[in-house]
Amino acid sequence: MTAQGHLTNEEIDAILDYADNVKPVAKTAVASSDVVGEDGQGEGGALLWIILLIVVFSVVIFAARGVRKQLAYVVAEKEGEEIELNKSIKEKLGEWIVRNWKFTTIAFVLLAVTGGADLMKRGFQVGVYADYKPSQPINYSHKLHAGEMGIDCKYCHNSAEKSKHAGIPTVNVCMNCHENVVESDYRLGSTENIAKIHAAAGYDSETRKYTGNTSPIVWNKAHNLPDHVFFSHSQHVNTKTGNIDCKQCHGNVPTYGLGRVSTTEEINQLAGTDGIIPLTKPLLTMGWCLECHNEKAVDLTKSDYYKELHGRLKSRPDFLRKISEDDKITVRELGGWECAKCHY
Amino acid sequence: MKKTYWKGLDEKDQSPEFVQNSNKEFREDLSVDEFIGSEAIGDFQTGRRDFLKFLGFGVAAATLASCETPVIKSIPYVNKPEDVTPGVANWYASTFYDGNDYSNILVKAREGRPIWVKGNKDFGLTKGGITPRVGASVLNLYNSDRLRGPVSSGSSVSWSEVDADIKAKLKAVADRGGKVRILSNTIISPSTELVINDFISSLGGEVAEMDSSEVAPIVSDSIDAIVTPIVSDVTGVDVESEPVSNADVKHIQYDAVSYSAMRKANEESFGKAVVPAYDFSRAKAVVSIDADFMANWLMHTKYNVDYAETRNPEKRADGDQWMSKHFHFESVMSLTGANADSRCPIKPSEQGAVAAAILKHIGGKNLGIAVSDEIDAYAAKAAEKLKKHKGESLVVAGANDKGVQVIVNAINNELNNYGKTIDLDNEVYLKQADDSKVEELVNEVISGDVGALIIYGTNPVYTLPNGAAFGEALSNDKMLSVSFSEFADETASKCTYICPDHNYLESWNDYKPQVGQYSIQQPVIRPLFDSRQAQESLLVWGGKAERGDKESKTYYNFIRNSWEKLGFPRQSEYLTFDEYWNWSVHNGSSAPTPMPSTSVSFTDTTSESSSSMNSSDAAWEVVAYQKSGIGEGQYTANPWLQELPDAITKVCWDNYVTMAPADCYDLFNITGNEKGKWDGLYIEQETPVNMVNVTVGEQVLKLPVYPLPGQARGTIGVALGYGRAENQEAIGSAAFQIKLDQTGDYDLDADGNKKPIGANAYKFTSFENNSIKYYADAEVADANEKYFLACTQTHHTIMGRTSILRETNLESIISGHKDDYNPSHELHVHTKGHGEHVNATDVSLWDEHPVEFVGHRWGMSVDLTACNGCGVCIVACHSENNVPVVGKDEIRRARDLHWLRMDRYFSSIDDDARARWEKDKRAEGNDWSYANLEVPEDNPSVVFMPMMCHHCNHAPCETVCPVAATTHSNEGLNMMAYNRCIGTRYCGNNCPYKVRRFNWFNYRDYRKFKHVNNSQDEMARMVLNPDVTVRSRGVMEKCSFCVQRIQEGKLNAKAESRAVADGDVVTACADSCPNGAIVFGDWNDEESLVRSKTSGDRAYQALEEIGVKPNLWYQVKVRNVEEAAELAHVDTADEPHNEEH
């Protein structure tokens, strides 16, 4: 184990104290928020059902119509009445429309407007991942680890400051704790989930030895950006660069179970704390990115890189005055809205 | 006299198709015609109803598909290697050596996948010098046709079976006193040498005196004393007791392109059979007789960099201002010849005569070999310069002919160059083959005398003059034949066993390219397949190691131990071996320990040796030469190298006969009047070229003819390295000809076999006077057939705006004024009713784009003097930016996607008889007449010009984009948002530099590209750079100034809290350029190199006069020629302007 040089004596005492007096967490039923999510979006499924129902009903209606018609013929034939057989449905429909032209026009316009609006709304939802929570091979709880235990985000997602990827934790990171934490009564199935980590790491929890038979864990990615978007965690998270709190984009993760994409509304509730800016567009859309780039001020003093940049700006006072009119220089004003910042 | 620049003969002669196409950006008309005119179109039976059904279904399917959220899997490491951070590249220092190229390199790896290679500029012998072959080598690793495991007689077997069989058979051969032969390329790895010698002695063979002079003095006892401690340390296996003693085991080294005559000549002249170290960086006068020392000759990777140092026209640190003077004599225009100050076309049989003439003119012995007056005049001029720079000059010859090499030795000796520019004491270990021994072995094998043959790192069936006979002998069951080839290639497929070696990126090795120079090759990726290091195989068969698995460290430990025992004691820099080893691995090489030079005693044997020199009076002489992309032919199946236009001819994907244009007129009966007409000389999309049958002895090759300006009359050139896999060997899918249509299928011959690309010119070589001769007397006959070549030379023309190029001579740089050789453009403008001349850059329709002083302004400077057109940058750009490979047919249609192209312009200067005549028509002896009008294409000079997006601050492309897909950044970048682009191609049309490229297809899954595009192959896809989007169909793309590297460089600076400095942000082309011709940086940083370069006297902007304000500057090309080259056409206000402004 690495030396914990940064801990003070009091903190060490507190840890030991906690370890002595730890109370087992009461067994709870499976939290509903942790139920393994669906792979697809619910909306799409519902739409499919509606279409299917419409088709079924149409078939029923047409069949009923046909039966009715047959019956009418039979009745007419019996009563010796002459029926207009040669008038087609098309002609009948045409006549009906002409008769009720006011109604049909209004209906058509209404249908077109609402339908079009609905289509547009739906269109904008395509590829929007807000509130997306895919199922996972291990029913991991952020609530337990990041919430109750207070483990820092960057302990597990440790490449966030160094790389464009925050990184899904590698199994060896899990094993830092789960070499010793081999069972849990946090909730039903917790021990089985830990066993899955051990299986992946090739760890025998009985003998506390590694067997060497490893098998990687296949996670389902929650935060998906299109292939032509290059987002760098390092640029945003690193204290010398963006220095943005994880919550700005990921919400209050310590309250989540499985990893999920947050929603704008949830994050806006956190606004004001830790420099979080309220936004309006759906999460992980380009509009949402640009909105923040338009609001967020760049701290030109925190790094020599920005100091140099600021120095150069001073030689163009007109430009500097223009961009600092609102007392802040935003990401956008330094080029944060330019295509090639993210698309290349 | 006006100097004219032309890219091809069609441009020079202004052929009708050229004129027609020169005003077009895209030439897509054909494919529409082809489609509409196609017979097959009548067969389509799609009715209106069907069409509507498909339409409806398509819309519904697309809608449904887009509603579904795809689940994307993500698999983290189980145990993340400590030094790997996903998303951050790792760099490893390593070494590339394949028997032809030697380079100290740096390999970029992402998540354990090597994706990019560049030269190591900080450590090692080659100082960053690489070739396109080295740059593209990373793609060879992912070739799907690599063997997945050992193969015995065509079927795969396990390593344990192979080992048991081979051991038993070897023992049987050794026991009965049979011959065991190891045939390899030149082994420059000291550890491999030890392994081979140990293997020989384990079979009871006698090890020849070790060639490595440095090993011998340390451990003088015997081979066992060197190997035994190492081997038993390594493996813990006891050395086998008592080997048989009567076995005949030999190791023979064979170079496909051999320099054996040079070693023999040096033995004769100096008593040492060595290749000396040449120091081009100290040579003020260089004469090369057919030695292509920039791209192919010996240690070209180093020579190229050294030579470039002497070609800097700027004032040097010591206050001097000089440039080397370079004379070149050759038959086929090579990269080196194209860069020479003075180039003289000669026949190959005249090489000796040229050398003799130079020897005579510098005051040496007169050997009495006749040479034509014209060549003699060139030789005299060269000799004059050489004499002026005694001790600071260098004469080199490429011929594998002892006679020529002996005369060259005499010249260098006469010039007092030994011990100065030529170092015999620090010999180069490359190319150690002795052709007479090779010939002997080949005859032994053919006559069935050899019991066991192990072939390592060489492909003799393909490269030997009599490869076919050798191949037949290999198939003989009585002989045990084993190959270590990565592929079942021409040779390996005929061997009893193939025991595939690791790729060089998967394995450890060490190299000793020159005395006192040691370098390390380290693995960058875990072996992809069940291959095994060849050295480990030999150790196993020699009973010195046990078979290891993929993680086997046998050979790693072996190298480590040999460095500990042999290398560590010889250095004094490090105290512990671990420190020494770790730094050597980190740097890729250890600090050089050269030998002190000793005195040279020269024995003059020129008279005797020159009598055996080749001479010829045949009508045609054929030269088998190497191209800078294909080289010896190991990587013919590498699509990046095939797609790389040849440096001189600009032909992709093909092999051809180069012939002097004048010879073409004669051969194909084109009389003067018809010269400007369609006759197969102009290479265009719909203009095939003529084919000829070239006959040398019994070998007949049918090849298309490329009329190459500068080719010596009466000679033809055929490149080596083509015609691979004639018997359908699996060496890679891109090795075969593809049909010129949309199917992308292989072009099959009458028997249903895939046709190889080009023909094998090794068939024209022969063993003569104990060395392999690479030229021959030939017969050339019109084959009365036509053939399509894909040639980029006239694509994307600059529409007659020849002011794009500027060149001058050294004299003007030293004593002239900038306005003489690099004047600024002036425009005639009308202001307030009167006309005046103003600087072209001061006039603009647009407001200044706010890039100056605001943040960064990325700028690039390209020095046309330092650039030698080698093409390393093109390959670097290809692999950095995932530029799709499009294949021959698309290139033919001018749809190549190179973001960076290398424009090659021919021009005629030097000794222009006409110029003299025009100067003074009545002067004494001025007998010029139209009859002997100099033919410009006989000996043109060449200028190379890298051309990529200029990132204009007033970009014409940006203003015409209807959807704002291409816009300008405040850092001066011309950005391209692919997802916004709707493909109107208006931007490409409006680009004055013609650097925008259109994605005509989905190259990553359209059938046309299935055999050529690496992103269609699940292995080769791994080479893609994850930092750059793979573009889809229908969008424009172009050079981005490697914006992904800019973003990365800025981020690194931010994270480290410092300003961006030179070197933080370097584009792929600048990063890989061996000669530092391309400089990239922040122009707003007044301290930056790019800023100082662009404010120098030589800096100019291409087409400055059209006012697009590019962020790319060029430096005027400077040649060391006597007469100031007439300046390229420079627009002045007085000249009429036809162009739109």
Side-chain angles (χ1 to χ4, degrees):
Chain A
M1 194 173 164
T2 46
Q4 303 289 331
H6 61 283
L7 290 182
T8 62
N9 284 338
E10 292 84 66
E11 281 170 326
I12 293 170
D13 288 342
I15 291 168
L16 292 174
D17 186 51
Y18 173 79
D20 290 342
N21 302 310
V22 65
K23 287 187 200 109
V25 182
K27 264 188 193 175
T28 49
V30 179
S32 63
S33 67
D34 286 342
V35 169
V36 172
E38 294 138 294
D39 285 1
Q41 268 184 331
E43 188 126 9
L47 195 74
L48 208 70
W49 276 112
I50 292 166
I51 292 171
L52 209 67
L53 280 176
I54 290 171
V55 170
V56 170
F57 279 125
S58 317
V59 169
V60 171
I61 288 165
F62 276 106
R65 237 181 94 89
V67 170
R68 213 187 108 198
K69 218 172 179 180
Q70 290 295 326
L71 285 173
Y73 288 155
V74 171
V75 171
E77 215 174 356
K78 220 176 189 178
E79 301 196 348
E81 274 176 35
E82 197 150 320
I83 10 160
E84 250 179 299
L85 280 170
N86 48 2
K87 237 184 196 175
S88 69
I89 299 169
K90 215 164 140 190
E91 284 165 323
K92 282 184 197 161
L93 193 71
E95 277 171 23
W96 186 85
I97 287 173
V98 172
R99 271 203 306 278
N100 306 296
W101 66 273
K102 275 184 189 157
F103 171 74
T104 46
T105 310
I106 292 167
F108 180 77
V109 170
L110 269 177
L111 210 70
V113 169
T114 52
D118 188 59
L119 198 71
M120 251 179 85
K121 203 179 140 203
R122 279 169 192 281
F124 276 117
Q125 289 305 311
V126 171
V128 172
Y129 277 84
D131 208 17
Y132 173 57
K133 187 165 89 173
S135 67
Q136 301 293 2
I138 291 176
N139 196 7
Y140 176 84
S141 172
H142 283 92
K143 195 172 167 186
L144 172 65
H145 291 84
E148 291 177 25
M149 309 215 168
I151 299 171
D152 189 77
C153 308
K154 283 172 252 178
Y155 179 82
C156 301
H157 301 286
N158 48 31
S159 58
E161 285 192 346
K162 292 177 277 185
S163 164
K164 59 172 64 158
H165 306 299
I168 295 175
T170 55
V171 182
N172 60 321
V173 173
C174 309
M175 290 305 290
N176 285 354
C177 299
H178 285 286
E179 239 180 52
N180 295 319
V181 185
V182 294
E183 55 186 35
S184 161
D185 49 7
Y186 174 60
R187 65 184 176 209
L188 219 65
S190 290
T191 306
E192 284 78 0
N193 276 316
I194 295 171
K196 285 182 192 169
I197 301 171
H198 290 160
Y203 183 72
D204 188 337
S205 54
E206 297 289 317
T207 59
R208 304 272 165 123
K209 280 203 174 75
Y210 286 96
T211 60
N213 296 324
T214 59
S215 63
I217 303 170
V218 182
W219 298 94
N220 293 326
K221 207 162 165 248
H223 295 82
N224 294 311
L225 291 178
D227 283 349
H228 57 275
V229 182
F230 291 89
F231 170 84
S232 170
H233 274 94
S234 167
Q235 166 69 57
H236 292 84
V237 179
N238 195 308
T239 48
K240 289 276 193 290
T241 54
N243 198 16
I244 292 168
D245 196 281
C246 304
K247 289 200 279 292
Q248 175 74 66
C249 308
H250 295 290
N252 199 359
V253 177
T255 62
Y256 300 167
L258 281 179
R260 64 178 272 266
V261 181
S262 189
T263 63
T264 314
E265 294 74 36
E266 283 175 63
I267 292 170
N268 285 349
Q269 286 168 12
L270 306 168
T273 59
D274 296 323
I276 286 165
I277 298 171
L279 302 168
T280 59
K281 298 274 184 344
L283 223 65
L284 300 190
T285 61
M286 184 167 123
W288 173 75
C289 295
L290 295 185
E291 209 179 353
C292 193
H293 278 192
N294 194 30
E295 292 290 322
K296 182 80 185 168
V298 180
D299 183 356
L300 293 177
T301 58
K302 71 183 164 218
S303 147
D304 284 353
Y305 172 85
Y306 287 108
K307 280 180 198 156
E308 163 75 21
L309 218 63
H310 196 207
R312 288 186 195 176
L313 282 172
K314 283 176 187 159
S315 64
R316 284 282 292 267
D318 50 326
F319 185 77
L320 184 61
R321 205 175 310 120
K322 202 179 112 197
I323 62 172
S324 44
E325 257 170 7
D326 51 356
D327 292 331
K328 64 177 181 184
I329 296 175
T330 62
V331 178
R332 181 191 180 180
E333 283 159 344
L334 289 180
W337 267 30
E338 289 171 355
C339 310
K341 290 288 191 292
C342 314
H343 305 294
Y344 40 82
Chain B
M1 180 179 84
K2 170 152 281 180
K3 191 172 183 189
T4 48
Y5 291 92
W6 33 281
K7 281 177 163 181
L9 293 172
D10 30 8
E11 182 171 0
K12 186 180 71 65
D13 296 347
Q14 292 287 308
S15 76
E17 193 177 347
F18 176 81
V19 174
Q20 189 193 335
N21 284 331
S22 61
N23 292 323
K24 276 190 188 169
E25 169 72 6
F26 303 103
R27 299 179 215 168
E28 71 275 29
D29 303 355
L30 174 86
S31 39
V32 179
D33 288 350
E34 221 175 44
F35 179 69
I36 302 287
S38 163
E39 294 285 317
I41 200 163
D43 300 340
F44 292 124
Q45 296 290 339
T46 310
R48 186 184 59 89
R49 281 163 173 274
D50 288 335
F51 174 74
L52 288 173
K53 278 182 209 159
F54 290 137
L55 185 76
F57 178 77
V59 169
T63 315
L64 281 175
S66 61
C67 292
E68 192 70 27
T69 304
V71 176
I72 298 167
K73 305 284 180 191
S74 189
I75 309 173
Y77 285 99
V78 173
N79 286 304
K80 186 176 79 67
E82 212 175 334
D83 48 0
V84 171
T85 305
V88 179
N90 292 66
W91 289 83
Y92 298 94
S94 188
T95 307
F96 180 91
Y97 174 71
D98 65 350
N100 197 30
D101 289 316
Y102 169 85
S103 256
N104 299 98
I105 55 169
L106 290 174
V107 185
K108 179 185 183 181
R110 274 291 299 270
E111 288 89 47
R113 288 176 298 120
I115 58 167
W116 202 70
V117 172
K118 69 166 182 173
N120 188 342
K121 292 186 181 174
D122 299 320
F123 297 100
L125 180 65
T126 52
K127 296 189 260 184
I130 61 167
T131 63
R133 302 183 286 259
V134 181
S137 64
V138 66
L139 189 53
N140 302 333
L141 167 72
Y142 302 112
N143 189 328
S144 286
D145 277 348
R146 281 181 59 199
L147 292 169
R148 311 281 161 131
V151 173
S152 161
S153 313
S155 47
S156 59
V157 283
S158 73
W159 279 109
S160 52
E161 286 173 74
V162 168
D163 286 345
D165 283 9
I166 291 178
K167 267 174 149 171
K169 286 184 182 172
L170 278 173
K171 192 167 185 315
V173 174
D175 281 349
R176 68 162 195 263
K179 288 178 179 168
V180 178
R181 295 286 180 266
I182 303 165
L183 179 65
S184 74
N185 61 1
T186 296
I187 300 291
I188 61 165
S189 157
S191 296
T192 309
E193 208 173 340
L194 290 173
V195 168
I196 290 175
N197 285 336
D198 174 62
F199 176 75
I200 291 173
S201 55
S202 75
L203 284 175
E206 257 182 59
V207 175
E209 185 73 18
M210 272 192 81
D211 209 24
S212 46
S213 49
E214 296 167 68
V215 176
I218 301 167
V219 191
S220 52
D221 305 341
S222 69
I223 274 300
D224 265 1
I226 307 168
V227 177
T228 312
I230 295 172
V231 171
S232 42
D233 277 4
V234 169
T235 60
V237 177
D238 288 335
V239 179
E240 272 185 7
S241 55
E242 282 313 299
V244 280
S245 56
N246 58 343
D248 177 6
V249 192
K250 270 187 201 157
H251 172 211
I252 285 131
Q253 304 186 73
Y254 161 57
D255 295 320
V257 174
S258 170
Y259 293 77
S260 137
M262 181 184 240
R263 287 183 180 269
K264 284 187 186 141
N266 283 330
E267 186 168 30
E268 212 169 280
S269 304
F270 306 104
K272 294 184 203 174
V274 297
V275 168
Y278 294 97
D279 189 354
F280 281 80
S281 68
R282 292 164 67 184
K284 290 189 173 169
V286 175
V287 175
S288 164
I289 305 167
D290 202 28
D292 186 7
F293 60 80
M294 287 187 192
N296 294 302
W297 187 74
L298 282 172
M299 190 70 84
H300 47 270
T301 40
K302 177 176 188 290
Y303 304 152
N304 186 11
V305 178
D306 285 349
Y307 172 83
E309 279 176 34
T310 70
R311 304 291 289 179
N312 180 7
E314 307 288 340
K315 203 161 246 178
R316 284 155 203 270
D318 59 6
D320 273 4
Q321 199 166 13
W322 59 274
M323 251 176 110
S324 65
K325 175 89 178 170
H326 175 192
F327 297 88
H328 205 86
F329 298 85
E330 64 182 355
S331 313
V332 189
M333 188 181 278
S334 66
L335 194 70
T336 315
N339 283 286
D341 295 312
S342 171
R343 178 181 174 276
C344 173
I346 56 163
K347 290 187 176 189
S349 59
E350 290 169 338
Q351 289 170 0
V354 168
I358 294 172
L359 180 62
K360 182 184 75 189
H361 286 297
I362 59 168
K365 200 196 279 181
N366 187 348
L367 295 167
I369 304 170
V371 67
S372 74
D373 289 348
E374 199 191 340
I375 296 175
D376 195 56
Y378 271 102
K381 276 208 288 184
E384 192 190 315
K385 279 282 170 198
L386 288 173
K387 272 196 288 185
K388 209 172 134 192
H389 294 293
K390 275 194 175 180
E392 289 183 316
S393 58
L394 200 46
V395 181
V396 292
N400 193 23
D401 182 331
K402 196 179 75 182
V404 178
Q405 296 291 350
V406 163
I407 304 177
V408 168
N409 286 351
I411 297 172
N412 280 318
N413 187 58
E414 183 74 30
L415 291 169
N416 201 15
N417 288 337
Y418 285 98
K420 297 191 174 76
T421 53
I422 308 176
D423 188 350
L424 281 165
D425 299 300
N426 289 294
E427 64 165 303
V428 166
Y429 290 115
L430 301 182
K431 305 283 180 184
Q432 293 181 31
D434 181 340
D435 293 346
S436 49
K437 285 186 187 159
V438 174
E439 192 177 6
E440 194 186 322
L441 170 79
V442 170
N443 292 334
E444 277 178 352
V445 171
I446 291 175
S447 62
D449 281 352
V450 175
L453 180 67
I454 297 173
I455 300 171
Y456 175 38
T458 181
N459 187 4
V461 174
Y462 169 68
T463 57
L464 276 173
N466 47 350
F470 186 81
E472 246 168 64
L474 271 186
S475 318
N476 181 356
D477 289 343
K478 276 183 267 174
M479 182 176 70
L480 167 70
S481 50
V482 181
S483 170
F484 289 128
S485 172
E486 286 175 50
F487 299 92
D489 59 18
E490 290 87 338
T491 307
S493 61
K494 292 196 166 59
C495 289
T496 333
Y497 297 98
I498 315 177
C499 303
D501 192 5
H502 293 330
N503 183 277
Y504 89 101
L505 291 166
E506 298 169 335
S507 54
W508 285 96
N509 214 345
D510 57 355
Y511 295 111
K512 177 188 61 176
Q514 189 178 323
V515 173
Q517 298 276 356
Y518 293 90
S519 63
I520 297 248
Q521 167 191 308
Q522 63 172 316
V524 182
I525 188 170
R526 193 166 175 264
L528 291 167
F529 306 123
D530 188 18
S531 53
R532 184 171 73 183
Q533 184 110 29
Q535 288 87 345
E536 188 181 325
S537 295
L538 287 175
L539 284 172
V540 169
W541 301 338
K544 297 298 166 59
E546 273 174 47
R547 191 173 62 82
D549 56 4
K550 262 193 173 186
E551 261 66 46
S552 170
K553 285 191 163 182
T554 305
Y555 187 54
Y556 166 73
N557 289 332
F558 189 98
I559 295 175
R560 226 184 115 96
N561 282 348
S562 73
W563 277 58
E564 183 167 10
K565 297 226 159 44
L566 304 177
F568 180 59
R570 295 166 56 82
Q571 58 85 43
S572 52
E573 202 179 343
Y574 302 103
L575 290 174
T576 65
F577 171 70
D578 279 343
E579 213 183 351
Y580 167 64
W581 172 254
N582 287 342
W583 277 110
S584 299
V585 172
H586 174 270
N587 298 345
S589 55
S590 64
T593 49
M595 291 283 194
S597 61
T598 53
S599 63
V600 175
S601 69
F602 176 71
T603 318
D604 190 350
T605 56
T606 45
S607 306
E608 305 88 72
S609 287
S610 60
S611 61
S612 68
M613 268 184 335
N614 296 299
S615 62
S616 163
D617 47 13
W620 292 98
E621 291 180 40
V622 57
V623 183
Y625 70 101
Q626 277 176 279
K627 282 186 179 184
S628 53
I630 300 297
E632 287 183 352
Q634 292 106 313
Y635 319 116
T636 310
N638 185 320
W640 288 348
L641 291 176
Q642 286 285 4
E643 186 109 333
L644 171 73
D646 178 69
I648 308 294
T649 64
K650 298 288 152 197
V651 173
C652 312
W653 290 97
D654 244 311
N655 192 16
Y656 39 81
V657 163
T658 58
M659 190 183 282
D663 284 340
C664 290
Y665 304 143
D666 293 344
L667 184 67
F668 303 115
N669 289 322
I670 303 158
T671 53
N673 292 340
E674 286 174 304
K675 220 168 116 179
K677 291 189 183 169
W678 305 117
D679 44 27
L681 293 183
Y682 308 133
I683 301 157
E684 283 288 348
Q685 179 178 315
E686 289 310 298
T687 322
V689 293
N690 297 306
M691 288 188 98
V692 287
N693 284 316
V694 183
T695 314
V696 174
E698 288 171 5
Q699 300 286 352
V700 185
L701 301 184
K702 189 161 76 180
L703 286 165
V705 173
Y706 181 94
L708 176 64
Q711 173 90 20
R713 296 263 183 110
T715 68
I716 56 169
V718 184
L720 296 168
Y722 289 91
R724 289 289 312 271
E726 274 176 348
N727 295 315
Q728 318 291 301
E729 290 91 354
I731 58 163
S733 64
F736 303 98
Q737 287 190 39
I738 309 284
K739 281 189 193 159
L740 297 182
D741 60 15
Q742 298 299 315
T743 61
D745 290 335
Y746 288 123
D747 199 1
L748 303 178
D749 63 12
D751 304 329
N753 290 327
K754 293 175 273 184
K755 291 185 193 164
I757 295 175
N760 181 2
Y762 284 106
K763 290 178 181 170
F764 289 160
T765 61
S766 58
F767 285 109
E768 203 163 297
N769 292 333
N770 294 325
S771 34
I772 302 172
K773 195 176 141 196
Y774 295 92
Y775 44 85
D777 294 346
E779 284 166 40
V780 181
D782 190 350
N784 291 314
E785 272 181 58
K786 299 276 185 187
Y787 183 87
F788 284 106
L789 282 181
C791 177
T792 65
Q793 74 180 4
T794 50
H795 297 177
H796 322 297
T797 78
I798 44 148
M799 303 176 181
R801 287 166 171 162
T802 46
S803 66
I804 203 159
L805 262 183
R806 287 187 169 189
E807 67 176 311
T808 186
N809 70 349
L810 182 63
E811 194 52 42
S812 317
I813 292 287
I814 294 174
S815 50
H817 189 265
K818 177 181 181 291
D819 286 347
D820 298 334
Y821 61 85
N822 190 17
S824 43
H825 287 279
E826 292 199 328
L827 283 185
H828 188 80
V829 292
H830 288 271
T831 40
K832 291 173 190 161
H834 60 89
E836 59 175 338
H837 288 213
V838 296
N839 226 333
T841 48
D842 296 340
V843 186
S844 187
L845 283 173
W846 311 91
D847 292 338
E848 195 68 33
H849 197 278
V851 290
E852 255 162 73
F853 309 115
V854 179
H856 309 287
R857 177 184 177 184
W858 304 109
M860 183 183 276
S861 162
V862 180
D863 189 341
L864 296 179
T865 314
C867 173
N868 63 16
C870 66
V872 165
C873 49
I874 302 175
V875 170
C877 177
H878 237 288
S879 76
E880 170 76 22
N881 291 306
N882 301 336
V883 176
V885 174
V886 300
K888 178 178 169 183
D889 189 46
E890 290 295 301
I891 300 255
R892 183 173 71 97
R893 293 165 198 267
R895 292 173 182 172
D896 53 301
L897 276 158
H898 295 115
W899 283 11
L900 163 61
R901 70 174 193 268
M902 183 66 70
D903 284 341
R904 181 269 294 115
Y905 296 92
F906 290 118
S907 67
S908 337
I909 46 157
D910 251 9
D911 302 330
D912 191 338
R914 183 174 177 167
R916 258 183 284 128
W917 176 75
E918 281 180 348
K919 214 168 169 184
D920 187 358
K921 294 186 176 75
R922 284 154 301 174
E924 192 81 16
N926 206 340
D927 56 352
W928 185 85
S929 73
Y930 276 103
N932 46 24
L933 174 74
E934 195 188 7
V935 185
E937 61 263 31
D938 265 2
N939 190 17
S941 70
V942 180
V943 186
F944 294 104
M945 184 180 206
M947 181 59 73
M948 65 293 257
C949 177
H950 278 49
H951 294 266
C952 313
N953 282 339
H954 292 170
C957 51
E958 290 167 11
T959 48
V960 296
C961 180
V963 291
T966 185
T967 51
H968 216 68
S969 92
N970 72 352
E971 296 177 2
L973 296 179
N974 172 234
M975 305 178 290
M976 184 69 222
Y978 306 121
N979 271 55
R980 231 174 185 193
C981 178
I982 55 168
T984 65
R985 294 180 280 140
Y986 197 169
C987 53
N989 216 350
N990 221 28
C991 172
Y993 304 101
K994 301 295 158 216
V995 291
R996 287 184 155 262
R997 301 283 176 271
F998 185 66
N999 278 270
W1000 290 89
F1001 297 98
N1002 234 345
Y1003 301 98
R1004 64 176 191 270
D1005 47 34
Y1006 185 53
R1007 65 192 160 124
K1008 183 168 185 175
F1009 311 100
K1010 61 191 172 211
H1011 296 310
V1012 295
N1013 193 295
N1014 53 297
S1015 52
Q1016 293 214 13
D1017 182 294
E1018 62 172 27
M1019 290 299 301
R1021 190 177 294 164
M1022 294 207 278
V1023 85
L1024 291 176
N1025 183 357
D1027 289 337
V1028 179
T1029 315
V1030 174
R1031 280 78 63 186
S1032 188
R1033 177 175 48 198
V1035 300
M1036 293 300 290
E1037 60 181 65
K1038 54 142 204 115
C1039 161
S1040 66
F1041 265 1
C1042 286
V1043 61
Q1044 68 281 5
R1045 286 173 171 237
I1046 293 178
Q1047 292 294 84
E1048 188 189 344
K1050 283 194 297 184
L1051 184 54
N1052 289 343
K1054 285 176 195 170
E1056 288 165 29
S1057 183
R1058 58 179 174 78
V1060 172
D1062 268 351
D1064 277 339
V1065 179
V1066 188
T1067 58
C1069 51
D1071 207 5
S1072 64
C1073 179
N1075 301 336
I1078 306 177
V1079 172
F1080 188 80
D1082 184 0
W1083 194 84
N1084 275 355
D1085 174 4
E1086 285 173 31
E1087 305 295 309
S1088 68
L1089 183 61
V1090 70
R1091 182 65 173 263
S1092 67
K1093 285 256 177 199
T1094 58
S1095 46
D1097 275 353
R1098 282 202 295 136
Y1100 76 97
Q1101 293 191 305
L1103 307 183
E1104 184 184 52
E1105 65 275 24
I1106 59 174
V1108 295
K1109 311 226 163 171
N1111 283 321
L1112 195 151
W1113 285 258
Y1114 290 96
Q1115 313 273 312
V1116 174
K1117 167 98 181 166
V1118 184
R1119 265 177 220 280
N1120 194 357
V1121 288
E1122 316 280 315
E1123 292 161 50
E1126 179 80 358
L1127 282 181
H1129 167 89
V1130 175
D1131 277 2
T1132 64
D1134 302 328
E1135 286 192 54
H1137 280 264
N1138 313 326
E1139 292 149 13
E1140 71 282 18
H1141 273 296

